[in-house]
């Protein structure tokens, strides 16, 4: 609740010039990612990642613990969004990254 | 001798302005929010400047602008000392602004006389110079497969600088270390974005803290520590992963046990048994990372470079935490034969060693240039990397693909 109030307050006082994340892949869940995942840090922290669903779940759990204002539904939607759009590029394990 | 290139004035003008802005905003928000525990960091709202290069660090790769995480492109490591404007930055929270006059280093916990030292007090102690290579524990994380969470550092979350400061043991002598003191906690003035996000606090065992080479430093390459690097004071725990060296340091506390915060108990830990890639590890099977691994990197040629036929000077750097580099070997035939590289003349305990190797490709084509370091303790870089859940301590033999025309 507090978190929500806060977002309203910040949003009203300082309308972002150009919202970060305008270039995020447009898919279901993108609005919540854009709104919530920019509160404490840059989106680059997440757009750098290519993680499996289970790791994304851990990440979003941690962010909620840190104070990300997310409902259970948001959590579900964001994990979906991230694991589809920022999932592993290739799943085969190679023991050594021969360039 | 001071190298003019080592000093970049006003290194974080942008960060400070931003910080002042946010701290003003925090005050406003505190009033509006009825004195509740408002998450300070929530005011660091996104802005259009997110993708701009960072003032004072224009040549670095921006892994994250907020908090600042900046990587040195490997091609820029052409000297033993990394100038301040090229040195990598790994921050967990916004850069705090500390006025020298207000600065105090608080010392408490298992000591006879808890105290608070001013910057002047510290300057009265014997001053020590130390060249030291600092490497982020996550350097090379981007190469792990399966991928692991965190900044996707490639080769450049490492750098070598000349620091000046005072010995921790001299600082603590005045306070009187009790026999019950087994660990030293270090806390800086950087503030996490919310009260429930972890504060970056670390501890090291007392033996390492009291080692004569463990310092609290105020000068980096002849300049006051730049704000991004911990102005006015940071610890320098030489030979250990970068996270052991805490920036904007304002509090030392001696404890009978390791500090139990998240950056000790959840991050910066490695499995203490070999595990299959991608598997979860029980917390009881993980230990805090301490010393750096033995490691080398090829600096020149750069990845995917095209070289003209003829002799080429392969160059790189190698480091090994608390011990010295013994040899660096280079292979250009996929590891069938190895050739000893020449080690550079510039040396210091805890500092990387530059190396070079004269190579004449036998014919045109595509080659892998590999480097493999061995240290004075006999540790050698592995052929394959053991995987770990947070992608730390990447130190497999380095390989760079080049094309000879």
């Amino acid at each position: 609740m507090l978190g929500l109030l806060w977002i309203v307050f910040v949003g009203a006082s300082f309308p972002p010039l150009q919202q970060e994340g305008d270039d995020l892949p447009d898919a279901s869940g993108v609005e919540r990612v854009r709104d919530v995942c920019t509160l404490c840090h840059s989106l680059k922290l997440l757009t750098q990642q290519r993680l499996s669903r289970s790791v994304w779940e851990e990440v979003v759990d941690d962010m909620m613990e840190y104070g990300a204002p997310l409902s259970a539904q948001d959590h579900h939607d964001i994990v979906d969004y991230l694991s589809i759009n920022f999932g592993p590029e290739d799943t085969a394990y190679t023991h050594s990254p021969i360039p | 001798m001071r190298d003019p290139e080592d000093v970049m004035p006003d290194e974080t003008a942008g960060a400070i302005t931003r910080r002042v802005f946010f701290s003003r905003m925090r005050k406003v928000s505190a009033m509006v929010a009825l004195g509740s525990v408002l998450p300070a960091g929530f005011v660091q709202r996104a802005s259009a400047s997110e993708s701009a290069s960072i003032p004072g660090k224009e040549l670095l790769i921006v892994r994250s602008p907020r908090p600042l995480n900046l990587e040195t492109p490997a091609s820029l490591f052409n000297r033993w000392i990394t100038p301040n404007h090229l040195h990598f930055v790994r921050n967990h929270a916004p850069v705090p602004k500390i006025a020298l006059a207000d600065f105090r280093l608080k010392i408490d916990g298992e000591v006879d006389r808890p105290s608070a030292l001013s910057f002047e007090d510290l300057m009265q102690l014997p001053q020590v110079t130390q060249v030291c290579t600092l490497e982020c524990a996550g350097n090379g994380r981007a190469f792990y497969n399966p991928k692991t969470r965190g900044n996707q550092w490639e080769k450049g979350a490492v750098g070598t600088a000349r620091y000046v400061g005072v010995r921790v043991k001299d600082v603590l002598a005045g306070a009187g270390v009790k026999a019950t003191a087994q660990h030293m906690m270090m806390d800086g003035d950087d503030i996490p974005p919310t009260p429930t996000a972890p504060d970056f606090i670390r501890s090291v065992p007392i033996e390492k803290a009291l080692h004569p080479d463990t310092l609290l430093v105020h000068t980096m390459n002849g300049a006051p520590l730049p704000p991004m690097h911990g102005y006015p004071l940071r610890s320098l725990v030489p030979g250990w992963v970068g996270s052991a060296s805490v920036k904007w340091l304002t509090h030392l506390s001696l404890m009978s046990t390791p500090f139990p915060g998240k950056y000790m108990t959840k991050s910066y830990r490695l499995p203490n048994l070999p595990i299959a890639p991608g598997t979860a590890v029980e917390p009881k099977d993980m230990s805090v990372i301490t010393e750096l691994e033995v490691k080398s990197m090829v600096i020149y040629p750069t990845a995917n470079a095209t070289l003209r036929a003829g002799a080429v000077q392969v160059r790189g750097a190698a480091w090994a935490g608390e011990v010295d580099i013994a040899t660096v070997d280079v292979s250009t035939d996929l590891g069938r034969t190895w050739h000893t590289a020449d080690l550079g003349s510039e040396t210091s305990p805890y500092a990387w060693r530059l190396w070079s190797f004269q190579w004449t490709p036998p014919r045109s084509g595509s080659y892998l240039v590999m480097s493999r370091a061995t240290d004075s303790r006999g540790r050698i870089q592995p052929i394959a990397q053991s995987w770990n859940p947070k992608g730390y301590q990447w130190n497999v033999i380095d390989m760079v693909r080049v094309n000879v025309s």
Side-chain angles (χ1 to χ4, degrees), chain A residues 2-7 9-11 13-21 34-45 47-52 54-60 62-69 87-99, chain B residues 21 25 28-30 32-33 36-48 50-51 62-67 69 141 143 145-153 193-198 262-263 266 277 280 368 370 383-387 390 394 396 399-401:
Chain A
L2 246 184
L4 284 179
L5 268 178
W6 184 231
I7 292 164
F9 167 70
V10 173
S13 317
F14 294 90
L17 301 171
Q18 173 208 322
Q19 191 165 17
E20 194 199 357
R34 198 153 36 210
D35 288 347
V36 177
C37 306
T38 51
L39 289 172
C40 300
H41 52 67
S42 161
L43 278 179
K44 279 202 165 186
L45 238 49
T47 55
Q48 299 180 53
Q49 321 289 335
R50 296 291 179 274
L51 304 172
S52 66
S54 64
V55 180
W56 273 124
E57 251 161 30
E58 284 169 24
V59 169
V60 179
D62 285 352
M63 298 309 137
M64 286 180 77
E65 189 187 324
Y66 296 171
E89 279 152 331
D90 62 339
T91 45
Y93 173 69
T94 50
H95 74 283
S96 145
I98 307 294
Chain B
F21 167 75
M25 261 212 59
V28 177
S29 62
V32 174
S36 62
V37 277
L38 259 183
F42 272 31
V43 293
Q44 302 159 50
R45 200 72 171 118
S47 75
E50 289 283 329
S51 55
V62 181
R63 295 281 170 226
S64 160
R66 187 173 55 100
N69 286 288
R141 177 177 291 123
F143 305 129
N145 194 350
K147 298 281 182 205
T148 60
R149 60 189 276 191
N151 284 296
Q152 298 296 306
W153 307 110
T194 61
T196 44
K262 286 241 164 64
Y263 286 105
K266 281 192 79 182
L368 277 180
M370 302 185 179
I383 295 172
Q385 187 74 43
S386 63
W387 188 89
K390 292 262 180 102
W394 178 267
V396 76
M399 301 178 200
V400 169
R401 178 154 307 273

Side-chain angles (χ1 to χ4, degrees), chain B residues 137-188:
Chain B
N139 195 26
R141 177 177 291 123
F143 305 129
Y144 275 100
N145 194 350
K147 298 281 182 205
T148 60
R149 60 189 276 191
N151 284 296
Q152 298 296 306
W153 307 110
E154 293 175 9
K155 285 164 79 163
V158 59
T160 299
R162 183 178 284 110
Y163 298 94
V164 184
V166 297
R167 295 189 176 93
V168 169
K169 79 179 179 61
D170 293 345
V171 173
L172 293 180
V177 177
K178 289 187 180 169
T180 44
Q182 293 300 308
H183 298 267
M184 181 178 78
M185 178 216 90
M186 295 167 279
D187 187 10

Side-chain angles (χ1 to χ4, degrees), chain B residues 51-255:
Chain B
S51 55
S53 76
I54 305 300
K57 298 278 193 184
E58 288 81 358
L59 298 176
L60 302 198
I61 303 160
V62 181
R63 295 281 170 226
S64 160
R66 187 173 55 100
L68 280 172
N69 286 288
L70 311 174
E71 171 166 357
T72 315
S75 60
L76 300 184
F77 289 122
N78 49 14
R79 304 194 305 167
W80 188 52
I81 298 286
T82 314
N84 290 352
H85 69 282
L86 295 183
H87 200 286
F88 83 97
V89 175
R90 197 295 183 235
N91 289 351
H92 298 264
V95 174
K97 195 182 182 213
I98 304 178
L100 213 51
D102 303 336
F103 170 85
R104 292 290 178 280
L105 177 66
K106 198 165 86 179
I107 302 170
D108 58 18
E110 303 294 310
V111 292
D112 297 324
R113 293 169 296 280
S115 42
L117 303 181
S118 68
F119 196 75
E120 266 310 300
D121 295 334
L122 292 167
M123 296 306 277
Q124 302 307 313
L125 297 170
Q127 302 293 309
V128 184
T129 298
Q130 175 77 65
V131 177
C132 183
T133 295
L134 280 180
E135 185 185 20
C136 177
N139 195 26
R141 177 177 291 123
F143 305 129
Y144 275 100
N145 194 350
K147 298 281 182 205
T148 60
R149 60 189 276 191
N151 284 296
Q152 298 296 306
W153 307 110
E154 293 175 9
K155 285 164 79 163
V158 59
T160 299
R162 183 178 284 110
Y163 298 94
V164 184
V166 297
R167 295 189 176 93
V168 169
K169 79 179 179 61
D170 293 345
V171 173
L172 293 180
V177 177
K178 289 187 180 169
T180 44
Q182 293 300 308
H183 298 267
M184 181 178 78
M185 178 216 90
M186 295 167 279
D187 187 10
D189 254 9
D190 49 343
I191 300 161
T194 61
T196 44
D199 196 355
F200 188 75
I201 300 177
R202 298 274 307 175
S203 68
V204 293
I206 196 72
E207 302 76 39
K208 185 66 179 173
L210 296 179
H211 189 284
D213 295 336
T214 299
L215 307 179
L216 307 184
V217 300
H218 47 72
T219 296
M220 180 179 182
N221 291 330
L225 272 180
M228 285 181 215
H229 291 284
Y231 179 87
L233 191 74
R234 68 171 303 167
S235 56
L236 190 69
V237 179
W240 285 30
V241 285
S243 59
S245 294
V246 174
K247 303 197 260 194
W248 314 287
L249 186 72
T250 51
H251 187 190
L252 298 178
S253 191
L254 295 176
M255 307 176 66

